[in-house]
Amino acid sequence: MDLSHKAVKRQASFCNAITFSNRPVLIYEQVRLKITKKQCCWSGALRLGFTSKDPSRIHPDSLPKYACPDLVSQSGFWAKALPEEFANEGNIIAFWVDKKGRVFHRINDSAVMLFFSGVRTADPLWALVDVYGLTRGVQLLDSELVLPDCLRPRSFTALRRPSLRREADDARLSVSLCDLNVPGADSDEAAPAAGCPIPQNSLNSQHSRALPAQLDGDLRFHTLRAGAHVRILDEQTVARVEHGRDERALVFTSRPVRVAETIFVKVTRSGGARPGALSFGVTTCDPGTLRPADLPFSPEALVDRKEFWAVCRVPGPLHSGDILGLVVNADGELHLSHNGAAAGMQLCVDASQPLWMLFGLHGTITQIRILGSTILAERGIPSLPCSPASTPTSPSALGSRLSDPLLSTCSSGPLGSSAGGTAPNSPVSLPESPVTPGLGQWSDECTICYEHAVDTVIYTCGHMCLCYACGLRLKKALHACCPICRRPIKDIIKTYRSS
């Protein structure tokens, strides 16, 4: 809360930020709020309402984390969630109650709409604001009165003449000290009440464990896109396929990703009977130098271009609300996490060059959003069964502490599996053995026959772990995959040493 008690900002998580007006509001008095900060990684938005309880007599510890459904289930509290489409940064929301207990709201200069009803107006009423989910910060503006000359919601008009404004500082609305900005208080999420009509709480609890406390918001989608029905929306943070079927849908990041920078992407729209998929990868090609016509129908065909391209698909099914984390470490290993669980190394790339990230939407995956990014230092410890990049412990560049690892240690289950069986892992992160080298030099023995020298590179993953004879036999096998990373084998290339 600022010194004027006019602006509040939630400091952590998605909830635990309930606040009130410092005085009772009048019947037909508009409470006007401006949304000053939006955080796109959550579900749900601002909750607005009234209470007949004097906030000065409420102990902050007695307030629940959620206004809806927890607080409104108590006597003397009324609130409802603002629709997400109205919770955009910069929007001004006005809400008020009439003498019949009906609550109305107006977004900017749009028509007045009925919000909810049932408020008991016989007692004094204080405004209630829950800075929840997508809404991270609000500013309280001067209040106004509306004319009660018509009962129809769309006929309410605001009187903006100075004579109806409350100019005295002590009469203006300001936020009460009963706000609950408690960083780190969401470690154990309270279970929503039975029959809760607002399901975002459990979803946000899952996402709070999959995301760090602070995210940089400078990463966007590039304006270049492949596909007639692909749209870049919401300040270039959302990529959507509209009316698309089986056509290509390819988008890029607006700038190269940095080494050890974790990019968080959320699947925000998925549906239909057919399963959807998401391709991802990196390229040294600046999207600003390309035209949509230069891009092939299938993202996997990009590897045939002259620039460096590396593309693969997210293993396992994806659902709306899933959060993916992608990071390229200093060794050129691109690691993936799915809802906070490590899915292992997916690609080997050249981290010494600028790399733009790309995404391809397939089937029922029709919309994704870039949530932001953060840079985490890697652990300087010996290798574990999972890659070192999967267990970051250092704070981000913004100095915030993480309560949980961004990419957790090894996970079991379908997220850590691929069609070939085990999860792809870094070749330097497995225990030392004749099959997979440790931190030292690569083994000269073929990982299949243990007899002949390694002389063959697998395309497209780039691992060099086979002799040519075993490589030919493996390539002909059904669902052939690399013995190290389990990526599909498209071809094998024999190499020749100079000495």
Side-chain angles (χ1 to χ4, degrees):
M1 184 184 302
D2 67 353
L3 295 178
S4 69
H5 289 192
K6 289 284 188 178
V8 291
K9 181 179 178 182
R10 190 180 68 246
Q11 294 179 351
S13 186
F14 62 92
C15 61
N16 222 28
I18 298 175
T19 188
F20 305 89
S21 62
N22 71 327
R23 64 162 176 85
V25 298
L26 303 176
I27 301 298
Y28 300 111
E29 181 180 10
Q30 286 189 358
V31 181
R32 300 173 61 243
L33 297 169
K34 180 179 181 180
I35 297 178
T36 57
K37 184 67 176 178
K38 180 179 179 182
Q39 192 171 22
C40 297
C41 56
W42 306 117
S43 298
L46 192 67
R47 279 88 162 100
L48 303 172
F50 296 94
T51 179
S52 59
K53 308 292 184 181
D54 186 348
S56 64
R57 300 186 178 183
I58 300 176
H59 194 281
D61 293 341
S62 67
L63 290 172
K65 295 181 179 180
Y66 313 117
C68 303
D70 298 351
L71 190 59
V72 296
S73 64
Q74 302 178 21
S75 175
F77 294 93
W78 303 269
K80 187 178 178 182
L82 188 74
E84 291 186 16
E85 58 267 27
F86 297 152
N88 294 323
E89 198 166 299
N91 276 2
I92 296 178
I93 297 98
F95 67 101
W96 65 94
V97 62
D98 70 1
K99 62 183 179 180
K100 294 186 176 182
R102 299 177 301 179
V103 177
F104 303 95
H105 72 78
R106 181 203 299 270
I107 311 299
N108 298 323
D109 293 324
S110 64
V112 175
M113 299 295 294
L114 178 65
F115 198 18
F116 61 93
S117 59
V119 177
R120 188 173 64 249
T121 59
D123 300 323
L125 294 173
W126 286 261
L128 183 158
V129 178
D130 185 1
V131 187
Y132 179 88
L134 293 171
T135 308
R136 191 176 180 190
V138 296
Q139 179 184 357
L140 194 61
L141 307 178
D142 288 343
S143 62
E144 297 176 348
L145 292 179
V146 292
L147 283 176
D149 57 351
C150 185
L151 295 179
R152 291 190 300 170
R154 293 182 181 273
S155 299
F156 277 86
T157 56
L159 258 184
R160 301 182 181 273
R161 292 197 299 268
S163 59
L164 285 182
R165 284 183 183 261
R166 300 196 164 270
E167 299 295 346
D169 289 341
D170 57 351
R172 291 183 182 180
L173 290 173
S174 65
V175 183
S176 167
L177 293 180
C178 286
D179 77 306
L180 292 184
N181 289 331
V182 184
D186 62 326
S187 56
D188 297 318
E189 297 298 335
C196 169
I198 302 171
Q200 295 96 342
N201 294 347
S202 58
L203 180 63
N204 285 340
S205 299
Q206 174 189 357
H207 291 174
S208 66
R209 293 187 293 268
L211 292 171
Q214 296 280 0
L215 287 177
D216 293 336
D218 66 318
L219 189 66
R220 298 286 191 271
F221 285 115
H222 198 277
T223 53
L224 174 74
R225 58 202 185 273
H229 300 291
V230 180
R231 300 290 181 265
I232 305 297
L233 308 169
D234 201 1
E235 298 181 348
Q236 295 179 233
T237 62
V238 172
R240 177 189 298 172
V241 181
E242 298 177 345
H243 314 296
R245 295 189 178 178
D246 292 327
E247 65 170 330
R248 61 182 178 176
L250 193 64
V251 291
F252 299 80
T253 55
S254 58
R255 61 163 174 82
V257 297
R258 307 179 182 99
V259 172
E261 178 184 24
T262 303
I263 312 299
F264 291 97
V265 176
K266 180 178 180 180
V267 178
T268 52
R269 183 177 296 180
S270 175
R274 295 184 300 115
L278 183 69
S279 298
F280 66 93
V282 295
T283 179
T284 58
C285 182
D286 184 350
T289 64
L290 295 173
R291 299 172 303 170
D294 297 333
L295 302 172
F297 183 83
S298 171
E300 283 77 8
L302 289 167
V303 297
D304 296 327
R305 290 180 56 89
K306 63 180 181 179
E307 309 95 353
F308 175 78
W309 298 76
V311 183
C312 65
R313 293 200 180 194
V314 175
L318 289 175
H319 306 282
S320 181
D322 284 358
I323 293 179
L324 303 175
L326 301 110
V327 58
V328 177
N329 63 19
D331 295 326
E333 301 168 354
L334 195 158
H335 287 260
L336 171 72
S337 69
H338 190 151
N339 291 333
M345 189 192 74
Q346 306 295 310
L347 295 169
C348 285
V349 299
D350 184 3
S352 64
Q353 303 183 63
L355 295 173
W356 284 261
M357 196 161 284
L358 58 106
F359 300 92
L361 287 69
H362 310 274
T364 57
I365 304 297
T366 58
Q367 183 171 299
I368 59 174
R369 178 188 291 273
I370 292 181
L371 303 180
S373 65
T374 187
I375 297 180
L376 300 170
E378 294 183 83
R379 234 182 215 177
I381 59 173
S383 60
L384 298 171
C386 268
S387 169
S390 299
T391 55
T393 57
S394 302
S396 68
L398 294 178
S400 63
R401 293 194 62 184
L402 304 183
S403 57
D404 290 316
L406 175 64
L407 303 175
S408 61
T409 54
C410 277
S411 63
S412 59
L415 296 184
S417 304
S418 64
T422 59
N425 281 306
S426 165
V428 299
S429 64
L430 297 173
E432 290 195 28
S433 71
V435 179
T436 306
L439 295 175
Q441 295 295 322
W442 285 91
S443 171
D444 286 334
E445 290 183 340
C446 171
T447 59
I448 294 181
C449 67
Y450 298 107
E451 295 180 358
H452 301 100
V454 171
D455 61 357
T456 300
V457 174
I458 298 175
Y459 179 75
T460 58
C461 69
H463 284 125
M464 188 172 179
C465 57
L466 305 173
C467 67
Y468 190 64
C470 291
L472 287 175
R473 289 193 295 269
L474 183 60
K475 179 185 174 183
K476 296 176 183 178
L478 186 65
H479 303 304
C481 60
C482 172
I484 292 180
C485 70
R486 304 296 181 185
R487 303 308 304 165
I489 296 178
K490 290 190 175 182
D491 202 354
I492 61 170
I493 304 169
K494 189 172 182 178
T495 62
Y496 300 90
R497 301 186 181 182
S498 59
S499 59

